[in-house]
Amino acid sequence: MINVAVAGCAGRMGSAVVDAVTAADDMQVVCGIDPHAAGDAGAFPVFATVADALEAVDADVLVDFTQPSVVAGNLAAALPAGVDCVVGTTGLSNETLGQLAADAAPGTCLFYAPNFTTGAVLMMEFAKAAAPYFPEAEVMEFHHCNKKDAPSGTAVRTAQLIAEARSPRVSEAPGRETEMPGAEGARGALVEGVPVHAVRSMGYVASQEVIFGSLGQTLTIRHDSWDRTSYMPGVLLGIRSVGEREGLIVGLETFMA
């Protein structure tokens, strides 16, 4: 059995992770970490901090779906203790991820995925394949109004993949120079030269469009996630895979190959 600790266990994604791990026959939730639910009686103990949890239980893997403001601290406690980490909380820079992985105990894996849905991973792979053939590309992402970061980690990763795939070519679309006074930002945030637009509204869970354009044609690649259960197969794949890996791994596609 794989012993799993779930950070953010009382949140929307954390609760879904708890249910998915509990339903799997090769892993179990040994504790939760959530300062708002610490001490609650239930199927497993809940601690206020990762450090408190690791003093009390033996965890093989920490799954983190918390907040951008606390995820780095959680990983800084778990990785040096030799606990593999599966992270879906976005907002961490590549530099921060690299430093956290460098501070990990030997043989420990930090797995970070901007998105755990197989459809979103395929959307990014399709965008990467299309990028060299289109001079213009933009990303539009749509999320629920309680999401703490904008743009989403998936949108940032998609823009990075597009930029890498079409380098040294850059966008030929008009940019910020076309924005009207008082309406700065209308062309979106530039991520590696790719405009990214973030929508936050009730009614969405997570959706994204990648729009490519060239002379006389457009190509739109879209993925929609309407329920958080869509993330769970990817999360379970990450939990099952990190024990055989070491160092920093980014992207669910690494384990889907």
Side-chain angles (χ1 to χ4, degrees), residues 13 17 61-65 85-90 110-122 124 153-154 206 223 225 227-242 249-253 255-256:
M13 282 297 296
V17 172
V61 179
L62 172 71
V63 178
D64 192 299
F65 280 96
C85 293
V86 174
V87 183
T89 305
T90 56
L110 168 55
F111 171 51
Y112 167 73
N115 198 302
F116 278 91
T117 61
T118 52
V121 171
L122 291 171
M124 288 187 278
T154 301
H223 174 258
S225 179
D227 191 280
R228 289 177 177 83
T229 56
S230 63
Y231 296 87
M232 294 307 110
V235 173
L236 297 182
L237 177 60
I239 293 171
R240 293 182 175 116
S241 302
V242 289
I249 296 176
V250 177
L252 185 63
E253 64 273 12
F255 296 146
M256 289 173 60

Side-chain angles (χ1 to χ4, degrees), residues 18-225:
V18 168
D19 291 342
V21 171
T22 301
D25 58 8
D26 59 343
M27 61 186 73
Q28 61 183 348
V29 179
V30 292
C31 74
I33 299 100
D34 196 307
H36 305 294
D40 282 359
F44 51 83
V46 180
F47 301 92
T49 69
V50 172
D52 291 343
L54 297 184
E55 287 183 2
V57 301
D58 181 18
D60 301 312
V61 179
L62 172 71
V63 178
D64 192 299
F65 280 96
T66 55
Q67 304 291 339
S69 59
V70 301
V71 58
N74 290 344
L75 302 181
L79 290 166
V83 178
D84 296 320
C85 293
V86 174
V87 183
T89 305
T90 56
L92 292 173
S93 67
N94 290 335
E95 292 76 16
T96 299
L97 287 168
Q99 186 58 58
L100 288 165
D103 294 337
T108 306
C109 179
L110 168 55
F111 171 51
Y112 167 73
N115 198 302
F116 278 91
T117 61
T118 52
V121 171
L122 291 171
M123 171 192 61
M124 288 187 278
E125 291 296 304
F126 297 156
K128 181 179 177 180
Y133 303 99
F134 290 85
E136 300 167 4
E138 308 208 11
V139 179
M140 297 185 64
E141 54 101 337
F142 311 78
H143 280 81
H144 57 89
C145 58
N146 294 317
K147 186 169 175 57
K148 301 299 184 182
D149 57 325
S152 70
T154 301
V156 170
R157 180 62 176 161
T158 303
Q160 292 170 340
L161 290 172
I162 291 170
E164 292 171 4
R166 69 181 182 186
S167 179
R169 193 176 195 176
V170 297
S171 176
E172 299 174 12
R176 289 177 175 169
E177 71 279 1
T178 65
E179 294 174 347
M180 298 297 292
E184 290 78 10
R187 290 291 292 119
L190 288 180
V191 179
E192 303 288 339
V194 179
V196 177
H197 311 266
V199 175
R200 296 290 177 268
S201 176
M202 290 186 290
Y204 288 107
V205 175
S207 299
Q208 180 171 291
E209 287 186 3
V210 187
I211 304 170
F212 291 100
S214 69
L215 187 63
Q217 65 174 330
T218 61
L219 170 65
T220 300
I221 304 169
R222 182 180 175 101
H223 174 258
D224 297 289
S225 179

